[in-house]
Amino acid sequence: MNTYEIKTIDEILEAFPFNGKFTGMHRIESGHINSTFVLEFTTADGAFKEYLLQKINTYVFKNPDQLMENIVGVTEHLRKKVAENGGDPNRESLHVYFAKNGAPYFVDSDNNCWRCINYIYDSYSLQNVESANDFYNAAKAFGKFQNLLADYPIDTLHETIPNFHNTESRIADFKKAVKDDLAGRVNTAEKETAFILEREADCSVLVNLIKEGKLPVKVTHNDTKLNNVMFDKNTNEGICVVDLDTVMPGLSLYDFGDSIRFGANTASEDEKDLSKVSLSLEYFEAYTKGFLQCAGNSLCEEEIKQLPFSAKLMTLECGMRFLGDYFNGNLYFRVEYEEHNLIRARTQLALVADMEKKFDLMQEIVEKCRKELGM
Ligand code: GN1
Ligand code: MG
């Protein structure tokens, strides 16, 4: 058994009301922020039972009380909605298991914060899109997720990471990272830095549209990576959206754009061979179709118009976040090697460049999908 960062698994086993005898655990490697483990148990009647255990990254999420208050509120809302619609809340929504002391997370003797969540049985996640249909199914899942939260009381949500997709504030952070040059590396990525700074004006577009009242702020997921959807093993439909840490007031466009950034890239987020990086128009179309089909009726004209731009902006934002973190000495994103964030930044910027070339085609695809859907 590899317990990784868990020095005192016994403390955790004691803290939560697990059902059965602990038989083992393994780590789930995906996700750049929290550490995730699957804990395995055998129940009294001999059944196999699993739970997800996560160590909350408190460097990133400074206020775990507020974070968990959001997640508990959102998951309870989702469970109610799923049940009302005749679905299975245990498969179609997450559920937070409270610690025995009544708190939604447990603080161990080293001051680490742990939370426990239901494991979605007979499901799988994808690290890369394997077919247009996968991505279409992911779009439907995120679109549906947005609909289920449309009547969630937005004012009750805490901003778990302030200005998360505020691209003006993101570029200000990036410039600060360049100026501070904490790890003494800025001179190794001058071309990439210039590429970002040349696009500074882009960072104000959506922010200004919000200020002008042209884009509505809604409850959004804000981290719509493909691997944040669980797919059903039998039907391959997206059944459950996970990783709810950044469910906050945001724009539908952030969710659309971030999905495209990750899933419509023909290469992985950390591909070293940039010739493999490009925007798949086939995948862009599949996602646009699924998203418009499910969430389209709640989108206004300006939101639909900005869909292609949002994909570019979210990719640029992620590029500057990775590069800024590289300059800061890899404080935020988990890395497997020292240049990992630089490599990730390069793929994002190469994808931005390709999206700029294909921008007219992306717009045509949005129009085509609208026509097909009679919107
Ligand atoms: C992080 O946790 P994970 O791996 O789903 C990050 C996202 C980035 C993404 C880039 C809280 O997501 O914003 O887009 O990495 N999450 C947070 O892959 O910063
Ligand atoms: Mg996450």
Side-chain angles (χ1 to χ4, degrees):
M1 180 182 73
N2 191 343
T3 52
Y4 297 89
E5 289 138 89
I6 311 184
K7 276 196 279 178
T8 47
I9 184 71
D10 290 345
E11 245 189 289
I12 286 165
L13 293 177
E14 184 51 43
F16 290 98
F18 295 113
N19 173 13
K21 186 178 174 304
F22 177 65
T23 54
M25 65 189 291
H26 59 271
R27 186 179 186 139
I28 295 186
E29 298 293 343
S30 75
H32 300 341
I33 309 291
N34 299 312
S35 309
T36 307
F37 305 85
V38 179
L39 301 193
E40 300 149 7
F41 293 80
T42 307
T43 64
D45 53 7
F48 186 57
K49 173 124 182 104
E50 287 160 296
Y51 296 85
L52 272 195
L53 178 74
Q54 280 190 311
K55 186 166 100 180
I56 301 171
N57 181 329
T58 47
Y59 175 80
V60 169
F61 298 106
K62 310 266 185 227
N63 190 327
D65 282 327
Q66 292 189 350
L67 174 78
M68 292 311 293
E69 196 183 310
N70 276 6
I71 295 181
V72 169
V74 165
T75 50
E76 278 175 3
H77 179 92
L78 289 170
R79 293 174 75 77
K80 218 174 97 215
K81 288 262 158 173
V82 167
E84 276 167 18
N85 297 338
D88 176 357
N90 293 327
R91 271 173 71 62
E92 294 168 45
S93 167
L94 296 183
H95 169 67
V96 176
Y97 290 100
F98 279 54
K100 287 181 193 163
N101 66 10
Y105 66 99
F106 169 70
V107 186
D108 74 12
S109 50
D110 287 333
N111 253 333
N112 293 313
C113 297
W114 298 92
R115 67 180 170 208
C116 180
I117 301 170
N118 57 322
Y119 181 85
I120 312 283
Y121 287 92
D122 298 320
S123 71
Y124 62 94
S125 64
L126 290 171
Q127 301 311 317
N128 289 100
V129 172
E130 285 163 15
S131 74
N133 198 50
D134 291 341
F135 205 34
Y136 170 71
N137 284 337
K140 287 201 296 182
F142 281 123
K144 192 173 153 200
F145 181 84
Q146 211 161 84
N147 291 342
L148 291 174
L149 289 177
D151 60 347
Y152 192 79
I154 190 164
D155 297 337
T156 64
L157 282 171
H158 303 286
E159 222 180 332
T160 53
I161 300 178
N163 294 315
F164 192 59
H165 285 307
N166 179 331
T167 38
E168 281 184 340
S169 135
R170 288 292 184 190
I171 198 156
D173 291 348
F174 176 71
K175 284 177 167 173
K176 183 170 185 315
V178 172
K179 189 165 152 276
D180 293 350
D181 196 9
L182 288 180
R185 299 172 165 164
V186 169
N187 63 358
T188 64
E190 281 169 357
K191 218 174 67 203
E192 292 81 359
T193 302
F195 183 96
I196 292 168
L197 296 179
E198 279 158 22
R199 285 158 183 77
E200 183 165 6
D202 286 338
C203 296
S204 296
V205 173
L206 298 187
V207 176
N208 284 341
L209 288 169
I210 297 174
K211 282 188 204 142
E212 291 162 19
K214 292 187 179 150
L215 288 176
V217 172
K218 302 175 184 171
V219 177
T220 50
H221 184 280
N222 296 305
D223 183 9
T224 47
K225 272 160 90 164
L226 177 73
N227 57 17
N228 284 332
V229 178
M230 303 307 296
F231 294 92
D232 187 296
K233 264 190 186 149
N234 299 313
T235 66
N236 297 322
E237 295 276 345
I239 36 167
C240 183
V241 168
V242 301
D243 193 354
L244 307 178
D245 293 328
T246 52
V247 174
M248 284 186 281
L251 296 180
S252 285
L253 290 168
Y254 299 152
D255 283 1
F256 177 85
D258 195 55
S259 276
I260 300 299
R261 169 192 81 75
F262 188 86
N265 184 352
T266 51
S268 296
E269 196 181 58
D270 58 358
E271 172 59 55
K272 290 184 179 150
D273 178 356
L274 292 183
S275 71
K276 293 186 181 160
V277 175
S278 69
L279 175 81
S280 160
L281 289 171
E282 184 198 0
Y283 292 173
F284 180 78
E285 179 166 341
Y287 197 91
T288 304
K289 195 172 134 203
F291 194 74
L292 287 180
Q293 213 175 346
C294 284
N297 287 338
S298 61
L299 300 181
C300 67
E301 199 53 41
E302 190 66 39
E303 285 173 303
I304 297 178
K305 184 177 151 198
Q306 297 296 343
L307 290 172
F309 178 77
S310 73
K312 177 187 149 180
L313 186 67
M314 288 296 97
T315 311
L316 179 68
E317 179 194 271
C318 204
M320 69 177 99
R321 290 178 64 197
F322 285 143
L323 192 58
D325 197 34
Y326 178 66
F327 291 162
N328 287 337
N330 304 322
L331 301 174
Y332 186 99
F333 295 104
R334 194 202 326 273
V335 290
E336 280 154 29
Y337 51 92
E338 206 47 40
E339 274 77 40
H340 208 164
N341 276 319
L342 173 63
I343 297 294
R344 288 170 175 155
R346 286 188 176 139
T347 62
Q348 301 307 292
L349 303 182
L351 188 58
V352 168
D354 196 51
M355 287 177 178
E356 287 176 348
K357 280 196 212 128
K358 292 176 177 161
F359 203 72
D360 291 347
L361 297 170
M362 291 162 80
Q363 280 176 317
E364 281 168 26
I365 288 171
V366 172
E367 282 314 309
K368 180 179 161 212
C369 292
R370 278 183 93 167
K371 275 211 192 89
E372 278 174 15
L373 296 167
M375 293 174 58

